[in-house]
C-alpha cells in the first residue's frame, strides 16, 4: 500500500503555498511538522480531497485520486483542525449522522458507531449532548468520526491540540493500536507528541518539503551539538542571534539557562539532543 504525492503545487492569489511537493508514503504513522504557515493544513486538505491542487497528482497504489474518484474518498478519514459539531446532538447521534453522510448502511453504521465509541473510550458518554463534552472528549469524538469507514488513509490535523498530558498519552496509544495497515499522517507543532509514535517525520517550511527523516536519524544529526549553559540575564544579548537557542529558562538563582544547538563548540555542558532540538536545527539550516 502506498500514497504518492507528485509535484503538488498550490497558489492563493499569486502566493505560492505549496511548491512542488513530492512524497511517497507507505503503511504507518508519519508526523508532519513545520512552523505556522508552512502549508501543512493545505497539503492535508489536498490529500483529503477537500481542496484541489493547482498542479501535480496524488496516487493511491499508483492510481490517481481523480481516477479513483468516489473510491478514493472511501479510503479516507479526516480530522480537521477545527471540527464543527452539532452540539445539540449526543456523541452517538453525531456519529450515526456522519455514518449516513459517508454512505454506510444502518447495520454497518450501528456496528461501526458502537466499535468506534468503544475504541475512543466514549461509550459511557454516548448519550450525553456534545455541548457537555470536554475539549478532550470532543477530540476523541472527532477521531471516532474519522475512523467510521475504517479508512486506509487517515489524516489528522493537529489532533493533540487541547488535550491534557494524560489524554495525549491515551491518544498516542490509541493511534499506535490502529496504525497497522493504514497510512496515517498527523500534523503537529509539538514534536514531542510524535516521539515514539511516528515512523518518519515529514518536515515542511514555507511551502517546501524540507525532507523526510526517521526520528533516530534526526536525533543523530544533533548528536554532540546540544549544550546547556547558565548565564546572567544581561549576557543574553551575546547569545541571542549568535546561536540557535532551543530553550530559555529562568533559574531559581535568577540566572538564565539556555539550551543551545551549535555545530561549533560552546562553553557549556554537552547534553543529549531531543527531537525538538533536531527539528529546530534542520529548519534553521534550511533542510536536509
Ligand atoms: N483560503 C486561503 N486563502 C489565502 N491564503 C491561505 C488560505 N488558506 C491558507 N492560506 C495561507 O497559506 C499558508 C499556509 O497555510 P496552512 O494553514 O496550510 O499552514 P500550516 O502549516 O497548516 O500552518 P498552521 O500550523 O498555522 O496551521 C499561510 O500563509 C496561509 O495564510
Amino acid at each position: 500500500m502506498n500514497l504518492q504525492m507528485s509535484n503538488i503545487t498550490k497558489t492563493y492569489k499569486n502566493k505560492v503555498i505549496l511548491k512542488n511537493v513530492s512524497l511517497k508514503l507507505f503503511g504507518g504513522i508519519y508526523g508532519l511538522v513545520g512552523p505556522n504557515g508552512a502549508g501543512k493544513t493545505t497539503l492535508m486538505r489536498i490529500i483529503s480531497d477537500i481542496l484541489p491542487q493547482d498542479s501535480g497528482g496524488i496516487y493511491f497504489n499508483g492510481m490517481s485520486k481523480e481516477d479513483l474518484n468516489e473510491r478514493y474518498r472511501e479510503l479516507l478519514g479526516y480530522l480537521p483542525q477545527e471540527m464543527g459539531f452539532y452540539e445539540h446532538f449526543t456523541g452517538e447521534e453525531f456519529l450515526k449522522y456522519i455514518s449516513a453522510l459517508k454512505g454506510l448502511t444502518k447495520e454497518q453504521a450501528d456496528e461501526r458507531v458502537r466499535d468506534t465509541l468503544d475504541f475512543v473510550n466514549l461509550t459511557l458518554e454516548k448519550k450525553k449532548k456534545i455541548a457537555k463534552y470536554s475539549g478532550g472528549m470532543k477530540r476523541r469524538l472527532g477521531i471516532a468520526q474519522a475512523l467510521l469507514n475504517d479508512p486506509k488513509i487517515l489524516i489528522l490535523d493537529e489532533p493533540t491540540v487541547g488535550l491534557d498530558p494524560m489524554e495525549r498519552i491515551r491518544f498516542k496509544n490509541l493511534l499506535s493500536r490502529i496504525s497497522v495497515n493504514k497510512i496515517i499522517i498527523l500534523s503537529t507543532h509539538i514534536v514531542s507528541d510524535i516521539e515514539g509514535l511516528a515512523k518518519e517525520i515529514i518536515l515542511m517550511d514555507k511551502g517546501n518539503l524540507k525532507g523526510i527523516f526517521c526520528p533516530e536519524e534526526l536525533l543523530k544529526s544533533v548528536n554532540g551539538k546540544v549544550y546547556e549553559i547558565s548565564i546572567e540575564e544581561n549576557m543574553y544579548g551575546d547569545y541571542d542571534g549568535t546561536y540557535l537557542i532551543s530553550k530559555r529558562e529562568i533559574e531559581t538563582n535568577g540566572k538564565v539557562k539556555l539550551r543551545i544547538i551549535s555545530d561549533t563548540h560552546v562553553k557549556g555542558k554537552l547534553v543529549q539532543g531531543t527531537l525538538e532540538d533536531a527539528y529546530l536545527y534542520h529548519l534553521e539550516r534550511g533542510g536536509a
Side-chain angles (χ1 to χ4, degrees):
M1 181 174 61
N2 66 74
L3 178 72
Q4 186 167 10
M5 281 140 256
S6 172
N7 291 311
I8 300 291
T9 298
K10 182 76 190 174
T11 308
Y12 282 125
K13 293 185 191 130
N14 297 330
K15 190 177 164 205
V16 184
I17 309 296
L18 293 175
K19 298 172 201 157
N20 281 314
V21 174
S22 295
L23 260 177
K24 193 166 183 177
L25 309 180
F26 302 88
I29 303 175
Y30 293 84
L32 179 59
V33 296
N36 285 333
K40 304 181 296 293
T41 297
T42 306
L43 182 63
M44 292 182 126
R45 296 185 76 201
I46 291 173
I47 301 171
S48 304
D49 209 28
I50 287 164
L51 198 67
Q53 66 272 26
D54 292 345
S55 59
I58 305 236
Y59 305 86
F60 181 75
N61 289 345
M63 282 178 76
S64 78
K65 82 171 154 112
E66 289 74 19
D67 284 346
L68 285 167
N69 197 4
E70 199 49 48
R71 276 184 293 155
Y72 181 76
R73 280 189 286 278
E74 284 167 15
L75 295 166
L76 285 172
Y78 176 53
L79 173 69
Q81 211 169 77
E82 308 233 332
M83 176 95 209
F85 289 107
Y86 299 100
E87 302 253 333
H88 58 283
F89 276 13
T90 66
E92 185 181 40
E93 284 165 351
F94 177 73
L95 291 181
K96 290 211 167 148
Y97 170 71
I98 300 290
S99 301
L101 292 184
K102 291 196 180 194
L104 272 67
T105 63
K106 185 171 178 318
E107 289 71 33
Q108 284 170 328
D110 286 348
E111 189 185 331
R112 290 299 299 164
V113 168
R114 194 182 55 235
D115 288 354
T116 51
L117 278 169
D118 182 46
F119 187 70
V120 299
N121 208 9
L122 279 177
T123 303
L124 290 176
E125 272 90 16
K126 68 179 183 183
K127 301 278 182 215
K128 239 190 206 175
K129 291 236 187 306
I130 298 173
K132 299 246 163 73
Y133 277 18
S134 70
M137 285 161 73
K138 284 184 185 167
R139 274 276 146 199
R140 279 187 273 144
L141 187 62
I143 294 163
Q145 66 75 33
L147 289 173
L148 279 172
N149 54 335
D150 193 20
K152 286 277 170 230
I153 307 167
L154 180 62
I155 311 287
L156 306 168
D157 198 352
E158 303 213 13
T160 53
V161 168
L163 298 188
D164 66 29
M166 230 13 245
E167 284 174 328
R168 274 168 207 270
I169 293 170
R170 248 190 256 133
F171 172 74
K172 270 188 169 181
N173 291 339
L174 188 145
L175 263 199
S176 51
R177 264 166 46 214
I178 55 166
S179 64
V180 182
N181 215 12
K182 285 191 200 308
I183 298 170
I184 303 181
I185 311 173
L186 176 170
S187 75
T188 184
H189 283 115
I190 307 159
V191 186
S192 60
D193 268 4
I194 48 175
E195 210 149 15
L197 185 66
K199 72 166 190 179
E200 293 200 84
I201 295 176
I202 305 164
L203 189 56
M204 285 189 69
D205 191 22
K206 301 188 191 86
N208 293 299
L209 177 75
K210 291 292 182 189
I212 172 158
F213 308 88
C214 69
E216 296 76 26
E217 191 188 342
L218 261 190
L219 277 176
K220 225 189 256 170
S221 67
V222 288
N223 230 344
K225 295 190 170 100
V226 186
Y227 299 85
E228 270 180 9
I229 179 166
S230 196
I231 58 162
E232 298 295 338
E233 173 82 62
N234 60 6
M235 297 288 288
Y236 183 65
D238 292 352
Y239 288 84
D240 187 29
T242 308
Y243 290 109
L244 174 60
I245 298 173
S246 72
K247 209 174 184 185
R248 183 185 190 277
E249 270 173 339
I250 308 287
E251 295 185 298
T252 42
N253 59 8
K255 284 187 158 186
V256 180
K257 185 153 96 186
L258 301 182
R259 193 174 172 91
I260 290 173
I261 311 161
S262 170
D263 284 319
T264 55
H265 180 75
V266 175
K267 226 171 123 199
K269 191 170 108 195
L270 198 59
V271 293
Q272 188 71 41
T274 61
L275 270 187
E276 190 76 40
D277 296 323
Y279 162 64
L280 289 172
Y281 178 68
H282 280 266
L283 275 187
E284 185 78 4
R285 281 203 328 176

